[in-house]
Amino acid sequence: MFKKILIANRGEIACRVIKTARKMGITTVAIYSDADAQALHVQMADEAVHIGPPPANQSYIVIDKVMEAIKSSGAEAVHPGYGFLSENSKFAEALSAAGVAFVGPPVGAIEKMGDKITSKKIAQEAGVSTVPGYMGLIEDADEAVKISNEVGYPVMLKASAGGGGKGMRIAWNDEEAREGFQSSKNEAANSFGDDRIFIEKFVTQPRHIEIQVLCDSHGNGVYLGERECSIQRRNQKVVEEAPSPFLDEATRKAMGEQAVALALAVDYASAGTVEFIVDGDKNFYFLEMNTRLQVEHPVTELITGVDLVEEMIRVANGEKLSIKQSDVKLNGWAIENRLYAEDPYRGFLPSIGRLTRYRPPQEVAAGPLLDNSKWQDDAPSGATAVRNDTGVYEGGEISMYYDPMIAKLCTWAPTRAEAIEQMRVALDSFEVEGIGHNLPFLSAVMDHPIFINGDMTTAFIAEEYPDGFEGVELPEGELRRIAAATSAMHRVAEIRRARVSGRMDNHERKVGSDWNVAIQGQSFDVTIEADQDGATVNFADGEALRVSGDWTPGDQLATMTVADAPLILKVGKISGGFRVRTRGADLRVHVRTPRQAELALMMPEKVAPDTSKMLLCPMPGLVVKLEAAVGDEVQEGQALCTIEAMKMENILRAEKKGVVSKINASAGDSLAVDDVIMEFE
């Protein structure tokens, strides 16, 4: 077995590989850019080598620099993770020439299947049904528009060497095809060092289901079930689960056997994923093959007990697979939510900054799950698991140079319903402060009827949140539970304040039992009867809710029980109450005495400033180019500026007709959120 492995990646996937290598007794080497000098993967590895400036095209994807790090460290093998150089055949060739093992498939398989254009041609020749499209190279935007019309709108423009949603655009007309072609090329060049683009028909109501395959260099191959990846935003997966709630055993077997046959046809050896589009009648069509470890691999590990990273390392070492197809059993249900540094209330735009608070829920093992060892037949009945794959820590910084993923939160349970409920609790318990993040949105998805029923397609987010995410409106029953909890919490805090030392004589303050709770536009009058074990909160209409729990004034997480059901609240102090976040809702809860509530009704509301004549930067990022000049008359929807953040280009458009009166930024400038880019008359 290898004695030393270099991980040619960063972030959570580098940390993930280090964990398995450590379990196998293998020394690990991390590489890092200037921006990652204090990163978690650097701290976890046994050794670390600096490879250059923050931009990936000057560090992580520069083959010569990675090869220098391998030589200086004496690493015998390299695990590429996902993204960066993981599907770059030139990198695999360079490793082979240097006598270093590549923990991934052979060069030939990467070239045939890693390139999306070539892989589609091979699939067609093998008789695999594929989505209509143009697989040749496209020279310029004019040709892209011509091909798009021939294929028929809508079309998908995709980077040939792409992955992770980078270099992908949907175009519904000629203008979008022209703009999307250039942006896709730019993103592909920056992320993968390869700007080739191809076009295929965009299927508007598909399910995205992928098969995990595992092959060795001795001609053996197995499939480890499927993953449902239909909940996507901007072609980036957000929620994944295994198995799929849509497939039956016959379809699963057919897809799995076809995936393995395709892999063996190109002499594949390692972990890989064959992606399919599946329609409502369970017809499936080959989409592409990812010749690497997938981001969402943990859900497969949780239901099979197979450590995919360990198997990849053993295959790279020339060993045979440790399992046969008959050994593969799918146990229970696993769900993964991707926690991103992006603000759902600002159209999911990237958010960067320092993690002033980062407290994931405690990882919990069900049987041997977190050890990634094989499942035992006697795994405890009713067991649940929580797993958090991450590459950050409290006090660390989210950089503008890389992917915005913070963590992958996974839950496992014997049934899908139990796994969903476990995920709800885990999301409510996850504390992240200092940056914008998508925890509220993930909580909303877990409660959405379409997801609960398993009826989602890849259009789920676009259809259910057409105007973006604006938070969650909780039903009255849940508001009453929160009102009961916060009124009891407020009373405890008031009693503590009333006991402050240094009081003047004869000025003792008494804390009453009658309160008014204002929450989400509703008002509840309550009376609290407290005792040593908790409190009974009586509402004016006669309803009484019993409250108990673990909370001390100042705690930012309250683990409560209300009406015999758990209630987990993230708690912040505001004047006269709390900022409470739970189940995707962000609430301002005011707890007042009856007289204070009466006076509060007379207070004027604060009016937000008028920014309608300004173009504000919606995220921290770099100005790529400006599309307008002072004096230009712009029309609604016209492109005004392109901002790059976290390897993605974002085009800012005019919201209404106007004339540019002032420009406050220029190409190359680094901007913060809400910086004024342009002003209009």
Side-chain angles (χ1 to χ4, degrees):
M1 179 50 66
F2 307 118
K3 291 183 174 59
K4 183 181 287 190
I5 289 181
L6 182 141
I7 298 100
N9 217 298
R10 63 174 303 281
E12 67 86 15
I13 188 57
C15 296
R16 164 70 188 91
V17 175
I18 290 170
K19 287 179 181 178
T20 286
R22 180 182 296 160
K23 183 181 70 175
M24 298 175 69
I26 301 172
T27 300
T28 56
V29 182
I31 58 174
Y32 65 95
S33 69
D34 294 340
D36 279 339
Q38 303 300 319
L40 184 61
H41 75 281
V42 175
Q43 298 178 27
M44 287 180 62
D46 298 301
E47 303 173 21
V49 181
H50 175 256
I51 56 167
N57 59 9
Q58 297 177 42
S59 52
Y60 289 106
I61 63 172
V62 180
I63 294 175
D64 289 344
K65 290 187 175 182
V66 178
M67 294 303 298
E68 288 174 12
I70 296 167
K71 183 177 180 180
S72 67
S73 67
E76 304 164 79
V78 172
H79 196 301
Y82 52 74
F84 291 153
L85 297 172
S86 62
E87 295 178 286
N88 189 309
S89 60
K90 292 180 180 178
F91 179 54
E93 287 175 347
L95 291 173
S96 178
V100 176
F102 180 60
V103 185
V107 172
I110 295 175
E111 291 176 339
K112 293 172 183 175
M113 302 306 290
D115 185 286
K116 293 177 176 59
I117 292 175
T118 304
S119 68
K120 281 186 174 293
K121 290 179 178 177
I122 291 175
Q124 289 171 342
E125 292 168 359
V128 180
S129 177
T130 58
V131 179
Y134 181 80
M135 296 300 107
L137 296 181
I138 302 165
E139 295 298 329
D140 53 34
D142 289 337
E143 187 179 3
V145 170
K146 178 184 176 183
I147 292 169
S148 297
N149 279 281
E150 291 172 354
V151 173
Y153 290 109
V155 298
M156 175 79 78
L157 296 96
K158 302 177 77 171
S160 179
K166 304 296 186 297
M168 299 175 68
R169 288 291 190 280
I170 298 172
W172 297 81
N173 53 50
D174 289 355
E175 182 181 356
E176 291 182 0
R178 192 177 301 278
E179 287 182 355
F181 176 77
Q182 192 58 51
S183 288
S184 293
K185 280 181 73 72
N186 293 345
E187 286 180 9
N190 290 334
S191 296
F192 312 109
D194 184 342
D195 67 353
R196 293 175 298 157
I197 302 297
F198 70 98
I199 293 175
E200 66 183 14
K201 179 73 174 177
F202 177 64
V203 182
T204 55
Q205 290 294 323
R207 294 181 79 112
H208 185 144
I209 300 176
E210 60 190 31
I211 301 291
Q212 176 71 58
V213 296
L214 191 59
C215 303
D216 61 25
S217 55
H218 303 277
N220 302 306
V222 298
Y223 62 91
L224 301 174
E226 80 281 3
R227 295 185 288 259
E228 171 78 60
C229 306
S230 294
I231 297 184
Q232 306 177 2
R233 188 188 55 74
R234 297 176 185 166
N235 308 304
Q236 180 80 53
K237 299 164 188 173
V238 179
V239 178
E240 301 100 352
E241 60 182 303
S244 167
F246 183 63
L247 292 192
D248 53 42
E249 187 56 43
T251 307
R252 175 179 297 114
K253 186 173 186 290
M255 292 175 69
E257 290 176 349
Q258 181 171 315
V260 171
L262 190 61
L264 295 180
V266 293
D267 297 321
Y268 199 85
S270 192
T273 299
V274 180
E275 301 192 350
F276 294 92
I277 286 179
V278 185
D279 67 21
D281 296 322
K282 296 187 174 66
N283 297 308
F284 55 89
Y285 305 94
F286 171 74
L287 184 60
E288 63 188 24
M289 183 175 187
N290 292 305
T291 57
R292 54 172 168 79
L293 189 67
Q294 288 281 85
V295 176
E296 57 274 17
H297 75 274
V299 291
T300 296
E301 293 184 329
L302 288 171
I303 67 166
T304 63
V306 176
D307 184 332
L308 288 169
V309 174
E310 179 176 348
E311 292 296 328
M312 291 178 74
I313 293 172
R314 293 193 179 282
V315 168
N317 192 46
E319 299 179 24
K320 292 184 178 181
L321 293 183
S322 62
I323 54 174
K324 303 185 295 294
Q325 192 62 57
S326 58
D327 297 324
V328 178
K329 294 181 175 60
L330 307 186
N331 296 279
W333 217 283
I335 296 174
E336 175 180 294
N337 277 202
R338 298 192 190 185
L339 176 56
Y340 285 120
E342 56 187 20
D343 192 339
Y345 303 107
R346 287 176 171 264
F348 298 94
L349 291 171
S351 176
I352 63 174
R354 193 165 298 283
L355 287 164
T356 58
R357 191 173 183 85
Y358 180 73
R359 309 281 174 87
Q362 184 175 355
E363 291 191 298
V364 179
L369 283 171
L370 291 181
D371 296 330
N372 290 311
S373 53
K374 290 185 173 51
W375 259 95
Q376 307 299 317
D377 293 334
D378 58 351
S381 175
T384 58
V386 178
R387 169 175 166 175
N388 188 57
D389 284 20
T390 189
V392 302
Y393 56 91
E394 187 167 293
E397 192 170 355
I398 303 298
S399 169
M400 67 183 291
Y401 295 102
Y402 310 115
D403 189 273
M405 185 185 293
I406 298 172
K408 302 181 311 196
L409 180 63
C410 305
T411 58
W412 176 94
T415 66
R416 186 172 187 266
E418 291 172 300
I420 292 173
E421 181 58 30
Q422 182 75 358
M423 179 60 75
R424 290 170 180 149
V425 172
L427 289 169
D428 281 343
S429 305
F430 209 135
E431 299 179 74
V432 180
E433 305 292 347
I435 59 167
H437 54 78
N438 66 335
L439 275 175
F441 177 71
L442 296 174
S443 292
V445 171
M446 293 299 102
D447 280 333
H448 199 288
I450 290 178
F451 174 75
I452 292 171
N453 293 331
D455 295 333
M456 58 279 184
T457 70
T458 55
F460 170 81
I461 292 178
E463 291 176 352
E464 298 304 314
Y465 302 94
D467 301 319
F469 180 72
E470 298 176 353
V472 172
E473 292 282 321
L474 295 177
E476 182 175 335
E478 195 66 13
L479 291 180
R480 282 176 172 258
R481 287 181 3 104
I482 296 171
T486 51
S487 62
M489 291 159 57
H490 182 77
R491 180 180 176 279
V492 169
E494 284 294 287
I495 291 173
R496 184 177 184 180
R497 282 188 282 269
R499 292 173 178 167
V500 66
S501 61
R503 294 173 296 175
M504 294 176 64
D505 291 341
N506 301 318
H507 285 76
E508 183 176 352
R509 184 162 67 93
K510 294 186 182 294
V511 177
S513 298
D514 294 331
W515 300 91
N516 174 271
V517 184
I519 176 173
Q520 196 177 286
Q522 296 199 46
S523 177
F524 301 101
D525 291 320
V526 301
T527 300
I528 301 175
E529 298 175 8
D531 54 54
Q532 288 185 341
D533 299 321
T536 299
V537 180
N538 299 290
F539 288 77
D541 61 2
E543 183 178 14
L545 297 179
R546 181 67 183 172
V547 177
S548 61
D550 179 17
W551 183 78
T552 301
D555 288 353
Q556 297 185 36
L557 190 70
T559 303
M560 312 294 288
T561 299
V562 181
D564 297 323
L567 178 65
I568 299 175
L569 307 174
K570 285 189 271 286
V571 181
K573 188 73 182 75
I574 62 173
S575 179
F578 306 97
R579 178 194 179 193
V580 168
R581 286 167 290 174
T582 184
R583 298 301 277 266
D586 193 336
L587 306 167
R588 295 177 69 83
V589 183
H590 289 97
V591 186
R592 305 180 175 105
T593 65
R595 178 56 176 161
Q596 288 171 336
E598 184 181 338
L599 295 174
L601 295 174
M602 304 177 187
M603 297 294 289
E605 291 187 16
K606 186 177 180 180
V607 179
D610 181 14
T611 59
S612 61
K613 293 185 178 181
M614 302 175 185
L615 176 66
L616 304 180
C617 188
M619 83 215 87
L622 293 173
V623 179
V624 177
K625 61 180 177 180
L626 297 168
E627 306 275 6
V630 173
D632 286 358
E633 180 177 308
V634 298
Q635 305 297 320
E636 181 179 355
Q638 180 177 331
L640 299 176
C641 179
T642 301
I643 302 291
E644 180 185 333
M646 293 179 170
K647 301 192 289 186
M648 297 287 283
E649 289 193 353
N650 302 271
I651 299 174
L652 308 185
R653 302 180 183 276
E655 294 184 355
K656 59 183 178 180
K657 183 178 178 181
V659 176
V660 179
S661 61
K662 188 178 180 181
I663 295 180
N664 302 313
S666 57
D669 286 355
S670 179
L671 302 181
V673 174
D674 289 338
D675 278 356
V676 180
I677 301 172
M678 294 182 188
E679 299 178 31
F680 306 93
E681 295 179 0

